Amino acid sequence: MGTAEALGMAQPGGAWVPGDEPEIASRTQWQLFWERFRGDPVALVALGFIVLEVLAAIFAPLIVRAVAHPPNAQYPNMLDPRFGTPTGPSSKFLFGVDSVGEDVFSRVLYGARVSLEVALVATALAVLFGVLFGLIAGYYRGGIDTLISRVIDVTLAFPVLLLALGIASACSLGRGCLHGLIKPGLTTVTVAIVVINWTYIGRIIRGQVLSLRQKEFVEAAHAGGARDWTIMGREILPNLVAPIVVYTTLVIPQNILLEAALSYLGVGINPPQASWGEMIAQATPIFNSAWWFFAFPGAALLLTVLAFNLVGDGVRDALDPRMAT
Amino acid sequence: MTNTIRRTAPRMTAGLASVALAGIAVLGLGSGAAGAASHAAKRGGTITVLSAGDVDHIDPGEAYYSFTYEITYATQRTLLAYKPGSVNAVPDLAASMPKVSPDGRVLTVHIRKGVRFSPPVNRAVTSADVKYAIERGFDTSVANGYVGAYFGDLVGAPTSPTHRVPNISGIETPNATTIVFRLRHPSGVFVGALGMPITAPVPASYARPFDAETVSTYGLHQVATGPYMIKNNASGSINGIGYQPNKLIELVRNPNWNAKTSWRPANADEILFKEGFQDPTVMTRQILSGSADVNGDTPPPPAELRSLLSNSADKKQLVFTPTGGSRYIALNTRKAPFNKLAVREAVAYVLDRNAMRLTRGGPIDGRIATHFIDPSFKDKGFDQAGGLAFNPFPSANFNGNVAKAKQLMKKAGYKSGLYTGPQVTMVADNTPPGSNTAEVVAADMAKIGFKVKTISVTHTTMYTRFCNVPKSEPNICPNVGWLPDFHEPQTVLDVTFNGKNITSSNNSNWPLLNNPSINRAMDRAERIVNPNARYAAWGRIDQMVTRTAVAIPWLWEQYPTLFSSRVTPSTELWNGGSPDVTFMAVK
Amino acid sequence: MTLYIVRRLLWAVLMLLAVSALTFVIFYTLPSADPAALRAGRQATPELIAQIRHSLGLDRPVYDQFFIYMKNLVLHFNLGYSYQNNISVRAEIASRLPATLSLTAGAVFVWMLIGIPVGVLSAIKPRSLLDRVAMGASLVGISAPVYWLGLVALFLFASDIGRIRLFGGAGSYVSITHDPRAWFSSLILPWFVLAASFAAFYARMVRGNLLEVMGEDYIRTARAKGVSERRVIVRHGLRAALTPVVTIIGLDIGILLGGAVLTETVFNIPGIGRFAYDSIVNSDLPAIQGTVLFGAVFIVVANLIVDILYAFLDPRVRY
């Protein structure tokens, strides 16, 4: 690992004149990474978009108060009085209304909260568990490795969407499952995502740890009397950062789509809370005439996932310039 | 009728007079076309019916859903049946209307000669077959849902379901063509019950082995007496042949049906029920393009109706039919806060019924309901209940009256006029339009301070796990309603509001109303044989129930049926506007 | 080698058993529609519901129910009967298999046809306009939710409601034996929609792999030796770049054969994915068990084949 070297050390094979050497600042891997990332305009724009979106989600209440209407407030007068069909974009309702007369613009904005929370919280938790169990399995091997690996195998043998559907269905009724610990809605979706996701990264980390623990520096630490957890934390974990980052960037957009899919299928977020997937589901019966109702949430979903994908690409490229395009 | 327990669109009917929208083809078309079709219609061809879901039960002895009836009444001959534009039963299997004894306790029916079962049974129908058909409804393997309510008063009828097909002494068969029903008490409505599917004959020796199983498999091996039969194989099984669950039901001509013994024209040669069309827009488009002929269980969505009604050619293919029932919001009276009358009245005032109706499509969907007997009953209870004028919780344009609601809340003890107690729960459909209606209800209740926690589940789950089970019932069940089983006001008030009909599961008295004076009035009304006295009694009961505000009616629905231009339309007024495939013809 | 195969086979069987058990646990606790109440119909007395519960075996302890289920499955290949309508789950899956097969086969064909050449061409000319456009489109392809893409496709091209009426709309699926033309037309939109995200993924992967391979030493050597560029790519580059693709295709096919729930839902294709979703939503435990097991079998088999192939190619893997 790069450690910062002192400036102005003697270069072999040359006379050293004090003061006339340019300052050679050697850079940490992270600085290298950041420089490469900075040079990728597409990734930067995407990152900017995400930052904007996060801000919009955080300040949604203010924005909504300024230019739109509360997301759960119904305006039946915006529905066609003869048929109950919703009206489209107008100056007061920027993205039109949905089938109960709620402001689509506000709901798209608040829907960002759900998607971003899933992206960040659910993914973070999944990665946490995956890394934890992968570390334990790969480091200790033997019985506990077999146990963890088998659990991973069985989970992976399950058709993913069906497993998510099952968990979400089971916990989306009444008081939820585990005696109300897992409530319907965002919590259930998060749990479903975590249960599915941790296995992928668990497997990857386990593989990496298995090979890393053979390396000399680990043996050295062992010989030096360091405890297991210290070794795992100080020696092995830092080497895992790259695959963890790569995996995380790959999986965030997938999880956003998974939450939307679960909400679309009716087992994720339920009304009146706003979620892009649920909005698309609501829009499906009338998508033919009320195009705004499925277009805007869908576009929001597409752009968000796209942005995360682009950032992910940029991160991966910056980490490994050999693959740079 | 219980089709509200299934799927999205339980059909509700609104008054004939309520169809005030200019130029909408009204149900007059139904009976008129039926008449024309039966004389001038071409024979032959295939009719295709599209549906979102499947039948509730393929066994005619279990069927209790308006969509299923489209198939049941095309393949089975009940003692009495209905012509398309009518709500009054006429003899079908019966040779003539039953003779009722003066005390109203004995009914004698003669069945027609020359009616035979379809292959593989083939033989002539006898009175014993009708007796067996009704008796098997009491067996747990069949578990018919209405046999207790309407046939439970027969002498010798079991008081609870039995493990074998019981022998009911009150059903006598003195000869092969005569049935005598003996009732314990006089009944004015028993005749109407003779039009229900349970009276379609079932051959005992053929069916017994199937009925002996824990859950009867007769349905998968059923035989027909009507003009059509579900396509089967040589041994009689329809499974995978004429009946592919959630996919297809295929009706072919019954070779043993004798047209001379029936008033059904049965023009088409084949009828296909294609299921699984979850998207009503797609369904509508297919019908308009002619690749299908009619919608079986789901109405065209409001957006499509709007474009249909603006096109004069398309308009002619659309038929609106009052369903005879109502939709309502049920409040659980066994738990606080809705055990208090004033609180319930406040809810009745605050609900914006107009917005609720908009979620189902607005005025084309029917009249806003003010009580439970709907306008199509006219002088059979609707007028006696006060007609349109009876509106105990009025508000301008039915938009709700928040001020009055707050007043009532104050009367109930909430000083500020706003509810201050714990959260109330509501279990609602998770798909539109039921989910949208529930959202409107929640938003309205928030106006008087209620924080409503909504649990969204499938329509079926909403019933079987929550609203039908008193122990697990939430405070509010917003997506319930009821259709009449036949054209008697008793059938929309008794099962749903009589305290004696509360059961611990599969309960239909959702408010759990158990008011002794109302119960007494209903029990008395059940025994009234004189029609006028009976309708007057039920009209009064309707008023009593409405005033308790345990359930807030909001729609007397009219159901749109869309026909393709290649068929002649025909709708069942007695069955919520479902298409009558035995009267339709391919042009 | 045979020992390895045998071991993997045994493990595969064990996994399927575990999947069954897990399904049972998850879905058994589903507090959704009560199947006994569903069967019982209206106004049923508690005794009646208890009766039906007993007849369905629902009042037995969980492990008992599970054991009976497994016995039926292993000895008689009987997957039980649906709670909804008493139909044999196995028969239902069998009758829906052709639809899922049609959807999967067509989609695989489409995405291979598009994804791989696009990936190769993009890698050959990196940073060209073609590359940028292709990769841009791929990004959109993997970012858009498949049901939304489906709605957009229907909105634009469905023969009944689209702006440009080209292909069969939702619900127009018929089996190939019934009407080959209609079958084909009804599947075009679903094929492309389902293939979109996969094609994008494969294009990116192939491009990445090929670029990496092209940077390898032996490629440089081949070029130095004077081998034509085309031969370099086709002979050396592609083979190395495509090997991982083959394994992933196997896995993807395995997954899709379990049913593409979202696509089948949007386009109303009566396949196994749709059946699985309907059963979950209706708490139809036997049907859920059947469809999940079915999907798991394909996943496990695909994994097995891939593992064995790898073991053939790389003996080190056989630990």
Side-chain angles (χ1 to χ4, degrees):
Chain A
M1 297 284 270
T3 43
E5 291 171 346
L7 295 171
M9 284 179 78
Q11 302 280 341
W16 177 56
V17 177
D20 75 18
E21 298 270 336
E23 297 211 347
I24 301 174
S26 101
R27 295 158 291 181
T28 64
Q29 207 177 27
W30 288 110
Q31 284 170 313
L32 280 170
F33 163 81
W34 181 237
E35 264 195 27
R36 286 197 287 264
F37 188 82
R38 248 198 347 217
D40 183 348
V42 176
L44 281 178
V45 168
L47 187 62
F49 178 82
I50 294 177
V51 169
L52 268 176
E53 196 172 334
V54 170
L55 287 173
I58 295 176
F59 292 109
L62 295 177
I63 302 176
V64 156
R65 203 176 304 170
V67 302
H69 309 79
N72 295 344
Q74 297 168 4
Y75 296 90
N77 52 315
M78 290 304 293
L79 303 173
D80 183 339
R82 290 167 308 141
F83 296 98
T85 46
T87 51
S90 63
S91 57
K92 298 229 335 251
F93 288 83
L94 297 170
F95 287 172
V97 295
D98 67 8
S99 18
V100 284
E102 291 163 330
D103 188 344
V104 174
F105 176 78
S106 315
R107 292 179 73 76
V108 168
L109 213 50
Y110 273 79
R113 291 185 160 191
V114 170
S115 294
L116 289 173
E117 177 171 344
V118 162
L120 303 170
V121 173
T123 309
L125 278 174
V127 168
L128 186 69
F129 281 110
V131 168
L132 189 65
F133 286 109
L135 255 179
I136 295 177
Y139 189 82
Y140 287 111
R141 295 190 296 192
I144 193 153
D145 175 22
T146 317
L147 178 64
I148 294 180
S149 294
R150 295 307 162 236
V151 170
I152 291 180
D153 282 342
V154 172
T155 312
L156 285 175
F158 246 97
V160 168
L161 197 55
L162 296 184
L163 181 57
L165 267 175
I167 296 174
S169 271
C171 301
S172 63
L173 291 181
R175 270 163 263 110
C177 27
L178 290 188
H179 296 289
L181 209 63
I182 306 178
K183 290 216 168 23
L186 201 49
T187 323
T188 302
V189 173
T190 308
V191 166
I193 290 179
V194 169
V195 165
I196 292 169
N197 262 270
W198 79 267
T199 52
Y200 294 103
I201 185 154
R203 200 176 243 189
I204 295 173
I205 295 296
R206 172 187 172 273
Q208 296 269 345
V209 171
L210 272 178
S211 62
L212 274 175
R213 78 194 295 293
Q214 322 277 39
K215 295 247 158 94
E216 304 80 26
F217 61 89
V218 171
E219 282 191 23
H222 220 299
R227 307 177 68 112
D228 287 334
W229 283 98
T230 322
I231 299 178
M232 284 200 267
R234 276 233 193 102
E235 308 293 338
I236 300 186
L237 197 52
N239 285 298
L240 295 174
V241 172
I244 290 179
V245 168
V246 166
Y247 173 79
T248 309
T249 59
L250 272 174
V251 91
I252 287 182
Q254 308 259 14
N255 285 340
I256 297 180
L257 285 176
L258 185 55
E259 177 274 318
L262 289 177
S263 299
Y264 174 76
L265 291 173
V267 296
I269 312 290
N270 279 313
Q273 201 178 359
S275 148
W276 293 333
E278 180 263 325
M279 289 167 76
I280 298 178
Q282 284 235 352
T284 306
I286 52 175
F287 81 97
N288 186 34
S289 48
W291 59 267
W292 55 91
F293 188 15
F294 88 95
F296 290 114
L301 198 49
L302 174 61
L303 287 173
T304 308
V305 174
L306 188 61
F308 274 104
N309 271 319
L310 284 170
V311 168
D313 275 356
V315 163
R316 286 191 294 279
D317 287 348
L319 272 180
D320 185 358
R322 224 168 24 124
M323 298 284 299
T325 49
Chain B
M1 210 182 298
T2 64
N3 68 357
T4 52
I5 201 172
R6 300 280 171 189
R7 313 301 168 181
T8 48
R11 268 77 75 44
M12 306 297 187
T13 58
L16 296 165
S18 76
V19 184
L21 292 165
I24 296 179
V26 189
L27 48 86
L29 191 58
S31 44
S38 55
H39 292 299
K42 253 176 52 185
R43 285 183 73 80
T46 305
I47 294 176
T48 307
V49 182
L50 300 183
S51 74
D54 198 6
V55 295
D56 62 340
H57 300 282
I58 195 69
D59 184 330
E62 295 175 27
Y64 200 12
Y65 175 30
S66 50
F67 172 60
T68 315
Y69 284 11
E70 296 171 31
I71 293 148
T72 317
Y73 284 86
T75 55
Q76 305 289 331
R77 298 186 69 165
T78 46
L79 285 176
L80 307 176
Y82 300 86
K83 294 197 177 157
S86 161
V87 290
N88 298 310
V90 295
D92 186 7
L93 180 65
S96 53
M97 290 299 282
K99 275 196 265 300
V100 185
S101 68
D103 65 355
R105 296 206 342 233
V106 182
L107 285 92
T108 312
V109 186
H110 297 284
I111 59 179
R112 278 182 214 269
K113 293 207 182 44
V115 180
R116 288 170 44 211
F117 287 109
S118 62
V121 175
N122 290 312
R123 63 159 171 85
V125 172
T126 67
S127 52
D129 300 318
V130 177
K131 176 174 158 79
Y132 182 76
I134 298 174
E135 287 169 342
R136 68 188 288 266
F138 288 92
D139 184 348
T140 54
S141 73
V142 173
N144 178 288
Y146 53 81
V147 76
Y150 299 116
F151 296 85
D153 207 36
L154 285 164
V155 171
T159 45
S160 60
T162 56
H163 294 274
R164 282 186 338 232
V165 179
N167 185 345
I168 299 178
S169 54
I171 310 179
E172 296 168 5
T173 53
N175 59 42
T177 54
T178 310
I179 311 168
V180 180
F181 295 102
R182 291 190 191 281
L183 300 167
R184 284 192 269 254
H185 305 99
S187 162
V189 304
F190 189 76
V191 175
L194 293 180
M196 302 198 77
I198 194 78
T199 63
V202 173
S205 47
Y206 175 76
R208 265 193 216 280
F210 301 121
D211 289 340
E213 309 200 21
T214 348
V215 180
S216 170
T217 49
Y218 172 69
L220 293 174
H221 298 87
Q222 61 183 269
V223 284
T225 41
Y228 299 100
M229 56 186 275
I230 304 178
K231 191 165 180 196
N232 60 8
N233 62 19
S235 63
S237 167
I238 61 172
N239 194 1
I241 303 160
Y243 178 49
Q244 298 167 29
N246 288 313
K247 288 214 287 263
L248 180 72
I249 300 181
E250 190 177 347
L251 302 187
V252 294
R253 283 197 189 277
N254 175 0
N256 295 337
W257 177 70
N258 186 346
K260 288 205 258 298
T261 64
S262 167
W263 40 259
R264 293 190 186 276
N267 302 301
D269 283 334
E270 191 190 24
I271 302 159
L272 293 171
F273 287 83
K274 289 193 185 165
E275 304 171 336
F277 285 83
Q278 297 293 340
D279 188 344
T281 311
V282 168
M283 201 193 280
T284 309
R285 291 284 160 164
Q286 292 222 355
I287 297 170
L288 282 172
S289 69
S291 37
D293 296 310
V294 69
N295 50 311
D297 70 350
T298 317
E304 289 300 311
L305 285 173
R306 187 176 57 186
S307 61
L308 283 170
L309 289 170
S310 56
N311 176 329
S312 58
D314 291 339
K315 229 171 8 183
K316 287 203 210 77
Q317 298 164 234
L318 198 54
V319 179
F320 283 88
T321 312
T323 59
S326 59
R327 290 189 182 271
Y328 46 91
I329 313 292
L331 301 174
N332 187 339
T333 58
R334 276 205 193 153
K335 300 200 277 208
F338 298 122
N339 49 356
K340 281 214 187 115
L341 175 63
V343 177
R344 297 197 301 266
E345 289 175 330
V347 174
Y349 268 108
V350 85
L351 287 180
D352 181 348
R353 301 185 208 195
N354 217 334
M356 287 162 68
R357 186 175 62 171
L358 276 178
T359 62
R360 296 197 75 93
I364 49 165
D365 224 52
R367 254 188 210 288
I368 293 185
T370 51
H371 51 96
F372 297 98
I373 301 178
D374 105 314
S376 71
F377 278 86
K378 289 204 275 198
D379 56 359
K380 285 196 173 170
F382 177 71
D383 292 340
Q384 287 87 337
L388 290 172
F390 178 67
N391 183 8
F393 308 107
S395 62
N397 205 22
F398 290 109
N399 282 332
N401 188 337
V402 184
K404 190 80 205 280
K406 286 196 175 153
Q407 239 177 47
L408 283 158
M409 290 297 283
K410 286 202 186 118
K411 193 164 110 180
Y414 298 100
K415 299 260 171 35
S416 58
L418 295 176
Y419 177 71
T420 51
Q423 227 181 24
V424 294
T425 52
M426 173 167 83
V427 175
D429 283 354
N430 61 3
T431 51
S435 53
N436 293 339
T437 314
E439 274 193 70
V440 173
V441 169
D444 285 341
M445 298 199 51
K447 294 180 193 162
I448 43 174
F450 284 97
K451 276 192 264 303
V452 179
K453 175 167 150 66
T454 310
I455 301 168
S456 304
V457 295
T458 64
H459 195 66
T460 323
T461 307
M462 184 266 293
Y463 277 116
T464 62
R465 273 287 166 158
F466 293 99
C467 292
N468 285 0
V469 184
K471 258 198 333 232
S472 341
E473 199 175 340
N475 298 102
I476 309 168
C477 283
N479 299 123
V480 297
W482 195 260
L483 290 192
D485 287 323
F486 45 90
H487 204 65
E488 280 286 332
Q490 173 180 340
T491 62
V492 296
L493 290 169
D494 199 29
V495 178
T496 44
F497 296 111
N498 193 333
K500 75 176 187 215
N501 286 324
I502 298 178
T503 55
S504 60
S505 46
N506 271 340
N507 173 43
S508 304
N509 181 342
W510 295 295
L512 301 171
L513 177 65
N514 197 359
N515 180 314
S517 55
I518 296 182
N519 294 346
R520 261 197 315 272
M522 291 206 207
D523 290 345
R524 267 200 309 265
E526 282 170 30
R527 306 261 156 64
I528 301 177
V529 180
N530 175 297
N532 291 328
R534 189 166 69 237
Y535 300 137
W538 285 106
R540 275 196 301 274
I541 292 171
D542 188 4
Q543 292 186 336
M544 283 196 275
V545 172
T546 309
R547 287 210 185 88
T548 64
V550 298
I552 297 138
W554 56 277
L555 187 64
W556 285 315
E557 196 164 347
Q558 64 170 6
Y559 185 78
T561 317
L562 179 66
F563 294 91
S564 74
S565 48
R566 63 185 280 275
V567 294
T568 53
S570 179
T571 55
E572 301 169 333
L573 178 58
W574 56 276
N575 191 22
S578 305
D580 190 334
V581 296
T582 63
F583 275 81
M584 287 167 65
V586 180
K587 287 190 197 154
Chain C
M1 184 63 196
T2 18
L3 189 61
Y4 178 71
I5 295 183
V6 167
R7 237 181 327 143
R8 288 296 282 110
L9 264 168
L10 276 171
W11 172 235
V13 169
L14 218 67
M15 274 228 286
L16 289 175
L17 262 161
V19 167
S20 272
L22 196 59
T23 315
F24 218 85
V25 166
I26 294 179
F27 294 101
Y28 183 79
T29 64
L30 269 180
S32 312
D34 183 351
L38 270 179
R39 281 280 179 78
R42 294 241 136 192
Q43 300 308 104
T45 55
E47 299 90 46
L48 174 60
I49 297 194
Q51 270 273 313
I52 296 183
R53 189 172 274 276
H54 180 77
S55 74
L56 288 176
L58 293 175
D59 51 354
R60 291 196 151 115
V62 194
Y63 44 86
D64 221 7
Q65 292 187 40
F66 182 63
F67 181 66
I68 294 174
Y69 179 81
M70 290 314 295
K71 199 165 62 144
N72 272 325
L73 173 65
V74 172
L75 293 180
H76 308 286
F77 269 149
N78 180 358
L79 286 167
Y81 295 87
S82 155
Y83 284 163
Q84 288 285 102
N85 43 35
N86 220 14
I87 299 305
S88 151
V89 173
R90 183 185 60 198
E92 187 64 16
I93 291 181
S95 72
R96 286 169 175 265
L97 189 53
T100 296
L101 273 175
S102 309
L103 182 60
T104 305
V108 170
F109 185 70
V110 168
W111 93 54
M112 298 272 272
L113 203 62
I114 298 181
I116 304 211
V118 165
V120 169
L121 286 172
S122 302
I124 294 178
K125 292 195 182 4
R127 277 182 266 264
S128 65
L129 183 63
L130 167 69
D131 178 29
R132 290 200 189 283
V133 167
M135 286 303 111
S138 304
L139 268 172
V140 173
I142 59 171
S143 307
V146 76
Y147 44 92
W148 187 75
L149 268 182
L151 286 179
V152 171
L154 286 171
F155 187 77
L156 293 174
F157 303 118
S159 59
D160 47 9
I161 55 172
R163 310 296 123 157
I164 313 168
R165 305 190 173 197
L166 279 178
F167 309 111
S172 57
Y173 175 82
V174 289
S175 85
I176 187 173
T177 48
H178 211 229
D179 180 354
R181 218 192 211 175
W183 170 84
F184 189 74
S185 169
S186 72
L187 280 173
I188 292 189
L189 286 178
W191 280 338
F192 276 89
V193 166
L194 184 55
S197 58
F198 287 96
F201 174 74
Y202 279 82
R204 282 158 60 89
M205 179 174 54
V206 166
R207 178 183 183 282
N209 284 354
L210 196 53
L211 274 179
E212 178 169 2
V213 162
M214 300 293 271
E216 293 282 325
D217 292 341
Y218 70 91
I219 296 286
R220 233 182 315 147
T221 315
R223 280 206 189 106
K225 285 209 296 198
V227 179
S228 80
E229 186 65 13
R230 173 182 258 197
R231 252 188 136 199
V232 166
I233 295 173
V234 171
R235 212 88 195 291
H236 304 285
L238 272 186
R239 189 184 309 170
L242 290 182
T243 317
V245 171
V246 168
T247 64
I248 302 206
I249 285 184
L251 298 177
D252 277 340
I253 293 180
I255 292 175
L256 273 185
L257 281 174
V261 175
L262 294 167
T263 313
E264 291 180 13
T265 306
V266 168
F267 289 98
N268 198 13
I269 297 174
I272 296 173
R274 189 64 199 283
F275 183 42
Y277 169 65
D278 284 341
S279 4
I280 289 178
V281 157
N282 290 319
S283 295
D284 189 351
L285 185 56
I288 297 174
Q289 286 269 98
T291 48
V292 168
L293 203 54
F294 187 76
V297 162
F298 279 112
I299 293 178
V300 165
V301 164
N303 269 292
L304 192 63
I305 294 180
V306 163
D307 278 352
I308 293 180
L309 266 172
Y310 257 128
F312 256 127
L313 299 171
D314 185 354
R316 288 179 300 165
V317 173
R318 288 178 226 160
Y319 44 90

